[in-house]
Amino acid sequence: MKRKPAPGETKSARIGIIGLGIMGGTMARALLAAGHQVFGYDINAASLRALRRAGGTPMPGVAEVASEADALITSLPSTQALHHVVAGLQEAKPRG
């Protein structure tokens, strides 16, 4: 039976973030600081390195992020980028 968190205790979640620029990177750091596991992907290698330095787990693509996460956040610069991500999610394999 699952234990209910005590008052003031938070339950850790496995969160995926696709797009680790200014906004996505800030959300990733905040979620890590709150004790959550963060899996992320960005086309910019520097953003992936920053995620690793912050304690997150960089992933090689959008499908891999979705396969590890219980929840998925996108922070993308355009509708075209969102369409590309959605197409990549078709390859995701459910976790567990």
Side-chain angles (χ1 to χ4, degrees):
M1 185 157 80
K2 289 188 177 183
R3 180 178 71 83
K4 185 176 180 180
E9 180 183 23
T10 58
K11 182 180 176 197
S12 177
R14 297 172 61 89
I15 301 171
I17 301 182
I18 299 171
L20 297 167
I22 294 169
M23 186 178 295
T26 301
M27 287 189 287
R29 289 187 299 278
L31 290 164
L32 287 162
H36 300 291
Q37 291 180 288
V38 175
F39 303 87
Y41 174 72
D42 196 284
I43 60 172
N44 183 330
S47 295
L48 294 171
R49 289 190 298 272
L51 176 64
R52 183 177 299 284
R53 283 193 304 273
T57 305
M59 303 301 285
V62 297
E64 291 84 358
V65 172
S67 294
E68 289 294 328
D70 296 325
L72 189 61
I73 297 169
T74 60
S75 180
L76 302 166
S78 68
T79 303
Q80 182 180 9
L82 179 61
H83 287 280
H84 179 75
V85 166
V86 170
L89 291 175
Q90 301 296 321
E91 301 171 22
K93 294 178 178 51
R95 190 168 65 84

